[in-house]
Amino acid sequence: MQRTHPERRADEPADSAGDEVLVVDDLQKTYGDGEDAVRAVDGVSFSVKRGDVVGVLGPNGAGKTTTIKSILGLVVPTGGTVEIAGVDAHDNPRAVYRHVGAMLEGARNVYWRLTVRENLDFFAALGGQNPAAARGRHDSLLAQFGLTEKADETVNDLSRGQKQKVSLACTLARGTDVVFLDEPTLGLDVEASLELRRELRRLADEEAITVVLSSHDMDVVEDVCDRVVILSEGEVIADDPIEDLVRVFETQAYRVTVDGDVPERVRERLANSFDVAEWETVGGRTRFDVTLTEGDALYDVLDVLRDADLALADVDGLDPDLEDVFLEVTGRTLGEHAEGSQ
């Protein structure tokens, strides 16, 4: 889905609407020396326009955490540059900080001995804002995340999901231009997760806030992000709009259901001629998935079934989702570890 960006607000940085607010160029990070050296980030480059939501994805060990921490200045990179709102992040980190908010490693971003509101005031003050002047924004955040009644409770007394909501609220407390979120829906129930997705899209579409999001939840990424940057072994292996990535891997795939069982000889004939998988017999019916390559046609599959006197019950088209694309691009699932990267 193509999204449009609103006109620049008066309080935004000097970048004109639609300009790149984050530019990462040839970012590198090597740990150790000599033969023991490990290159966790190997020439990563990408940029993000103001008001976009970009997912940074990769299997465990692909280098995405090191990349994000290097962008934020939490890790000193070995090489490359990072610019945020036109400012070199490593030459002038204090100036960059005014434009950036981040939630890394979930609820550990907040102070559990402070109340919810005290946390919001504290993080606003860190950004040079008067907490009293930010009270209206904080009240809106409390209401948005269902924390109004918990505002004066210490964070330590809250549930895991509520702590996650506090961390998110504190990340947004300063009203920064760029927000980095690591697993933002972790610990949230389904309803809260859906609310967060809507709010992230609203922040991007209505307030032109840029969001860089890392998540293992492909539904969240596909629902919220404009595009994804996929890392593997410290390198960018894909950087495209979600729709384009999915379109690249579109195939003619179908789920076919027939009445009764499919004899073994018919299964073998199908397997020898087509790419079939996921056989399952449920409620007196048998279904299987078939992926048609160039030169194959669905009616060829149906001819095999008709020749075997099998009654066709249903045929459904199967569309790939982002998780399918990710697995195809990287050869691994998000939870798998890549040797040698961080």
Side-chain angles (χ1 to χ4, degrees), residues 291-303:
T291 301
L292 303 179
T293 56
E294 186 176 355
D296 293 333
L298 180 60
Y299 63 77
D300 294 328
V301 177
L302 302 184
D303 282 346

Side-chain angles (χ1 to χ4, degrees), residues 5-6 8 12 15-21 48-52 208:
H5 301 297
R8 183 169 65 91
E12 289 175 356
D15 313 65
S16 60
D19 282 351
E20 296 167 339
V21 71
V48 184
K49 290 184 178 181
R50 204 171 48 82
D52 274 359

Side-chain angles (χ1 to χ4, degrees), residues 169-191:
C170 289
T171 303
L172 300 172
R174 296 188 289 119
T176 55
D177 305 293
V178 185
V179 174
F180 288 80
L181 301 177
D182 182 23
E183 300 292 351
T185 59
L186 186 66
L188 299 183
D189 57 33
V190 174
E191 183 178 355

Side-chain angles (χ1 to χ4, degrees), residues 146-333:
L147 294 169
T148 301
E149 295 182 358
K150 303 290 184 179
D152 296 320
E153 292 189 25
T154 57
V155 173
N156 190 56
D157 295 332
L158 303 181
S159 68
R160 177 184 178 184
Q162 289 170 337
K163 289 173 181 174
Q164 183 80 347
K165 291 178 182 181
V166 174
S167 186
L168 285 165
C170 289
T171 303
L172 300 172
R174 296 188 289 119
T176 55
D177 305 293
V178 185
V179 174
F180 288 80
L181 301 177
D182 182 23
E183 300 292 351
T185 59
L186 186 66
L188 299 183
D189 57 33
V190 174
E191 183 178 355
S193 176
L194 292 173
E195 289 176 357
L196 173 63
R197 300 181 205 184
R198 288 192 290 268
E199 178 60 16
L200 291 179
R201 279 295 356 152
R202 188 195 68 78
L203 289 171
D205 295 337
E206 298 181 13
E207 299 187 27
I209 291 176
T210 301
V211 180
V212 179
L213 181 150
S214 176
S215 177
H216 284 72
D217 190 332
M218 287 296 192
D219 288 337
V220 172
V221 174
E222 195 163 4
D223 200 23
V224 171
C225 295
D226 298 293
R227 81 176 213 267
V228 292
V229 176
I230 300 178
L231 302 180
S232 182
E233 298 182 356
E235 299 180 353
V236 175
I237 60 172
D239 181 355
D240 292 283
I242 289 176
E243 295 86 352
D244 289 355
L245 279 174
V246 171
R247 194 176 299 119
V248 166
F249 293 97
E250 280 184 344
T251 57
Q252 289 183 293
Y254 301 91
R255 177 158 293 163
V256 180
T257 304
V258 298
D259 290 330
D261 192 17
V262 177
E264 187 62 32
R265 60 179 176 80
V266 179
R267 297 191 184 204
E268 290 179 359
R269 182 180 173 187
L270 288 169
N272 290 333
S273 302
F274 310 100
D275 181 6
V276 295
E278 303 297 330
W279 287 94
E280 185 176 14
T281 300
V282 178
R285 289 181 169 181
T286 301
R287 67 187 184 194
F288 62 92
D289 296 344
V290 57
T291 301
L292 303 179
T293 56
E294 186 176 355
D296 293 333
L298 180 60
Y299 63 77
D300 294 328
V301 177
L302 302 184
D303 282 346
V304 174
L305 299 176
R306 185 178 62 250
D307 292 344
D309 293 326
L310 292 169
L312 182 67
D314 192 21
V315 177
D316 289 322
L318 299 177
D319 295 323
D321 58 19
L322 187 58
E323 190 163 6
D324 297 327
V325 173
F326 182 88
L327 180 61
E328 184 74 21
V329 170
T330 66
R332 298 190 298 274
T333 64

Side-chain angles (χ1 to χ4, degrees), residues 45-118:
S45 298
F46 66 92
S47 61
V48 184
K49 290 184 178 181
R50 204 171 48 82
D52 274 359
V53 182
V54 173
V56 177
L57 309 180
N60 288 341
K64 62 183 183 298
T65 299
T66 302
T67 295
I68 291 174
K69 288 187 175 181
S70 296
I71 292 172
L72 293 172
L74 300 176
V75 169
V76 179
T78 307
T81 60
V82 175
E83 286 190 3
I84 298 177
V87 180
D88 188 298
H90 303 118
D91 286 348
N92 199 346
R94 188 179 296 275
V96 164
Y97 179 72
R98 292 197 296 268
H99 297 287
V100 177
M103 187 192 80
L104 303 178
E105 300 173 346
R108 284 187 283 178
N109 289 266
V110 296
Y111 292 93
W112 288 16
R113 294 186 179 182
L114 298 180
T115 68
V116 174
R117 188 178 293 281
E118 286 171 344

